[in-house]
Amino acid sequence: MTASAPPAAAESAAPAAPPAGGRRLVRRPSWLVAAGVLSVGLPPGSEVIGDGMQVTAGDVAGAVLVLVATLLLVAGRVAMPRAALLAFGPLVAALGISTVCSADIASSLPGFVRDMQIFVLVPLAVVLLVRDRWDFAIVCSSVLVLGFWEAGVGIWQSATGNGASMGGAYIRAVGTFGAGNVMGMSVVVGIAFLTLTAFALFARAWGFGAVVVAVGGLGVLGVALAASLSRGTWIALGAAAVLALVLFDRWTAVKVLACCASLLLVVVAGGGVGGGAQAVVERSESMAGSISEPDQSVDDRYSLWAAAVRIWEDNPGTGVGVKNFPAFRDAYAGIELSSGSETDDPVHGYARQPLLSPHSEYLLFLSEQGMVGFAGFAALVGVMVGGLWRRRGVRDPFWFVSVGLLTFLLVNFLYADLGGATCALVAIVLGVVASRAFGAVR
């Protein structure tokens, strides 16, 4: 791929030297962003507000980030990038319009606040607090720490039978998130995997030891991802990793993919060795049959998608209002839809989880906010994609981190939506990507 010459600072595979004096580094507000990332790994509490909205440590950290960024902005210590208005302005307007036009405004107000938190306020705060390459490096480091922590917990759960239930055995790795947020660990570890992949592409510049550490780290994260048995994360991660490899070097991409294919054959061949390996093989095979012979989970997802499309067709402009999908779901869904999903783990026990969303972020926007809301979200994505393309740096690991993470989220949003403690991490990731796309980090 031929790219225009990036700024000189973006050519370096490592951040520039930090300001003199350790005190200045400690006072960097990006440390607060890193703390927000790490807070996502704290086990969620049981306190809820409104209609099932759970306040997590990540939400509290996000509120602190917004407060600090606001104070710095008012004091003139930071400046709002011009691209921020183009990116977030349409989404704010769309959220306001869809809330005012909601079928139940009272129930939509908490959803309005939640969407503002995830898609506007926290990402904007991160854009203001991540000001240079050292800030970006600090946040990426915290993502890796969180990812390895969750990976370690997940691998232990899978190996000792203390994870979520899958096929009657407690072998599914869920990290500190529990069976109630069964996708949480896989999303966190997937984000860490892509972050480490971006730096592994440049590891040779830092010596053979860096290559060994990077590959070993990817191996640990890969084992945890396999143990998560999360088909959706595997697909999104594969798409993002392949794109990053192709952008970096096509020949490198071919070699890496060949090695991965060989490893996959070894795993499949040894699938009968243990229950965990067999579950990975069976889960992988089920992806191929998701269209012709879908299991109950996939079948429910198809039913929810169909219901969301019908809701949007009847309310094309502004949808039925944020958080109103559950109220309209049964009127539009077929009788084949389950009453809820089942979760079970040794800590929380058996529980039935209500199906409160269509399990597709795009269809959630369309059904609840109509074309107005979808256009606002598309404007945010479009500005970030355009900014990354204009400021592309094929020798900049931070650019590859941003491209990989944005691709991961956009693919994952096709068949999943936001929920649980990982909402806070996704908000920070959007801010990190935006900071690179807006030119705050060069």
Side-chain angles (χ1 to χ4, degrees), residues 145-158 173 175 185 189 220-221 224:
V145 171
L146 175 64
F148 279 112
W149 162 248
E150 293 295 340
V153 174
I155 292 172
W156 172 80
Q157 289 171 333
S158 181
M185 188 215 76
V189 176
V220 172
L221 297 175

Side-chain angles (χ1 to χ4, degrees), residues 32-361:
L32 292 176
V33 182
V37 170
L38 297 177
S39 70
V40 174
L42 296 176
S46 58
E47 295 297 325
V48 297
I49 61 173
D51 186 16
M53 291 182 62
Q54 187 179 52
V55 178
T56 66
D59 295 324
V60 175
V64 173
L65 295 180
V66 172
L67 176 61
V68 172
T70 301
L71 294 175
L72 292 177
L73 186 63
V74 171
R77 297 283 301 276
V78 295
M80 185 72 69
R82 293 181 180 179
L85 179 61
L86 294 175
F88 297 100
L91 183 56
V92 173
L95 276 171
I97 293 172
S98 61
T99 301
V100 171
C101 299
S102 170
D104 186 348
I105 296 179
S107 66
S108 290
L109 286 176
F112 171 83
V113 173
R114 186 65 161 171
D115 277 8
M116 283 289 293
Q117 170 202 352
I118 297 171
F119 293 107
V120 180
L121 296 178
V122 174
L124 267 178
V126 174
V127 169
L128 295 175
L129 300 179
V130 177
R131 300 169 296 183
D132 56 32
R133 296 174 67 79
W134 267 99
D135 288 333
F136 205 111
I138 288 171
V139 177
C140 287
S141 298
S142 68
V143 168
L144 293 177
V145 171
L146 175 64
F148 279 112
W149 162 248
E150 293 295 340
V153 174
I155 292 172
W156 172 80
Q157 289 171 333
S158 181
T160 60
N162 283 281
S165 177
M166 174 63 70
Y170 296 113
I171 58 173
R172 187 170 189 179
V174 291
T176 60
F177 300 99
N181 185 9
V182 73
M183 293 283 291
M185 188 215 76
S186 66
V187 170
V188 169
V189 176
I191 288 173
F193 188 96
L194 288 171
T195 302
L196 185 56
T197 297
F199 288 99
L201 294 174
F202 300 88
R204 286 193 301 176
W206 301 318
F208 180 74
V211 175
V212 173
V213 171
V215 173
L218 289 173
V220 172
L221 297 175
V223 170
L225 285 166
S228 73
L229 303 177
S230 176
R231 297 170 293 189
T233 300
W234 295 347
I235 295 172
L237 182 62
V242 169
L243 177 61
L245 287 169
V246 170
L247 291 174
F248 178 76
D249 181 75
R250 291 182 179 88
W251 179 235
T252 299
V254 170
K255 291 187 290 185
V256 171
L257 292 176
C259 291
C260 291
S262 301
L263 180 61
L264 181 60
L265 288 176
V266 172
V267 172
V268 171
V273 175
Q278 184 63 32
V280 173
V281 174
E282 293 175 353
R283 198 70 168 162
S284 301
E285 292 174 344
S286 70
M287 289 192 293
S290 295
I291 297 178
S292 59
E293 298 179 0
D295 56 30
Q296 186 61 53
S297 174
V298 175
D299 200 40
D300 282 343
R301 190 158 304 192
Y302 290 159
S303 298
L304 290 169
W305 290 356
V309 171
R310 296 186 189 110
I311 293 173
W312 170 60
E313 288 174 343
D314 285 350
N315 306 271
T318 57
V320 295
V322 185
K323 288 191 73 66
N324 280 337
F325 175 82
F328 287 79
R329 177 199 61 214
D330 293 340
Y332 286 88
I335 59 174
E336 67 276 4
L337 178 65
S338 300
S339 60
S341 61
E342 299 177 332
T343 62
D344 187 15
D345 66 41
V347 177
H348 303 92
Y350 173 84
R352 287 190 65 81
Q353 302 291 337
L355 303 175
L356 301 178
S357 75
H359 289 285
S360 169
E361 192 66 31

